C-alpha cells in the first residue's frame, strides 16, 4: 500500500497526534461536525479520533478509514477524505473541507486522487458516494469525478427535524479507465 497519496497541492495521509489542533479547527465548522459526529470537539476527543484511525489497517474492509487532507504549501490539515471498502471490490467515498478552503477545487482534487487510488492500487470495481440533495457542492464534486447519479431517495434522512432527500452517485472501474481526463495523473 502506497501512502501518502500526493497531488499537485495536497498530501493525503494518515492522521497523527500533531494534527489535533487542525482536527479541532475542522470540527468547529458545523457542516464538518455534523458529517463527523464520531469526533468529540475537545482535545481528548481529537486524540481519541487519531488513536482509533491509527488502529485501522489502511482501507480495512468495513472501516471508515479517514485520510488527512494536508496542504503541501504549509503542512496544515484542511480537510478529510474517507474510503470505506466493502465486499465484492466496492467502496464508498466521502470528503469534507474546512469552510475557508471551499470553492478552490480542494475537495475535487482530494476525492479524485482517492478514487484513482482505489481503482489503480486497491483493485476496486465500483465506488459510490452519497449526499443530501440540498448539498449541491458535494454532488457537483461527484459529477466532476465522472460519477453518474444512480438514485434519488426521497425523504431518506431526518436532519434537524426535517426530512431530506439523498442522492447516490457511482463510478465503475471501466468508466474511470475509459475517461482520459479522470484516469490521467492517477497516483
Amino acid at each position: 500500500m502506497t501512502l501518502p497519496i500526493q497531488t499537485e497541492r495536497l498530501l493525503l495521509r494518515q492522521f497523527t497526534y500533531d494534527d489535533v489542533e487542525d482536527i479541532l479547527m475542522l470540527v468547529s465548522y458545523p457542516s464538518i461536525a455534523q458529517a463527523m459526529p464520531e469526533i468529540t470537539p475537545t482535545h481528548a476527543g481529537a486524540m481519541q479520533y487519531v488513536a482509533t484511525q491509527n488502529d485501522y489497517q489502511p482501507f480495512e474492509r468495513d472501516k471508515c478509514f479517514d485520510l488527512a487532507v494536508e496542504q503541501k504549501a504549509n503542512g496544515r490539515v484542511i480537510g478529510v477524505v474517507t474510503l470505506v471498502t466493502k465486499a465484492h471490490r466496492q467502496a464508498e467515498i466521502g470528503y469534507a473541507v474546512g469552510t475557508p478552503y471551499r470553492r478552490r477545487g480542494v475537495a475535487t482534487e482530494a476525492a479524485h486522487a482517492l478514487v484513482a487510488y482505489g481503482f489503480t492500487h486497491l483493485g476496486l470495481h465500483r465506488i459510490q458516494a452519497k449526499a443530501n440533495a440540498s448539498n449541491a457542492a458535494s454532488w457537483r464534486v461527484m459529477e466532476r469525478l465522472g460519477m453518474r447519479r444512480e438514485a434519488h431517495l426521497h425523504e431518506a434522512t431526518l436532519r434537524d427535524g426535517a426530512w431530506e432527500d439523498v442522492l447516490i452517485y457511482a463510478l465503475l472501474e471501466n468508466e474511470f479507465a475509459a475517461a482520459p481526463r479522470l484516469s490521467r495523473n492517477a497516483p
Side-chain angles (χ1 to χ4, degrees):
M1 207 105 359
T2 309
L3 287 177
I5 301 167
Q6 295 192 53
T7 71
E8 183 179 331
R9 301 179 294 170
L10 306 171
L11 189 65
L12 310 181
R13 59 166 176 78
Q14 287 186 267
F15 281 96
T16 71
Y17 292 108
D18 292 337
D19 299 325
V20 166
E21 294 305 316
D22 288 342
I23 292 167
L24 290 172
M25 181 271 305
L26 286 172
V27 296
S28 73
Y29 303 115
S31 62
I32 294 179
Q34 188 172 46
M36 302 181 75
E38 69 276 12
I39 304 175
T40 304
T42 63
H43 189 271
M47 295 284 284
Q48 180 58 50
Y49 168 74
V50 172
T52 300
Q53 283 297 309
N54 285 306
D55 280 345
Y56 299 152
Q57 293 299 311
F59 308 107
E60 184 177 345
R61 186 170 153 186
D62 296 322
K63 300 289 184 184
C64 190
F65 184 68
D66 296 341
L67 292 172
V69 176
E70 176 186 310
Q71 281 185 311
K72 284 182 179 179
N74 61 16
R76 297 284 318 248
V77 173
I78 60 169
V80 59
V81 288
T82 302
L83 191 69
V84 181
T85 59
K86 304 281 186 182
H88 311 295
R89 298 176 42 221
Q90 299 197 40
E92 184 168 338
I93 191 171
Y95 40 84
V97 175
T99 305
Y101 306 99
R102 294 179 183 167
R103 294 180 180 79
R104 298 180 187 184
V106 172
T108 301
E109 185 175 334
H112 174 267
L114 193 52
V115 164
Y117 187 88
F119 287 130
T120 60
H121 293 281
L122 301 178
L124 295 174
H125 171 70
R126 180 179 187 277
I127 299 175
Q128 78 171 29
K130 60 185 171 185
N132 286 335
S134 62
N135 189 348
S138 185
W139 54 261
R140 284 187 185 122
V141 168
M142 296 172 200
E143 290 175 351
R144 283 192 291 275
L145 294 175
M147 293 180 147
R148 88 194 101 60
R149 187 180 294 185
E150 291 190 332
H152 183 139
L153 309 176
H154 296 275
E155 297 185 7
T157 61
L158 184 63
R159 183 166 75 171
D160 299 327
W163 288 103
E164 292 196 11
D165 292 1
V166 172
L167 303 176
I168 298 175
Y169 281 73
L171 183 65
L172 299 176
E173 177 184 24
N174 63 338
E175 295 167 331
F176 178 80
R181 69 179 180 77
L182 298 176
S183 57
R184 165 179 87 237
N185 300 322

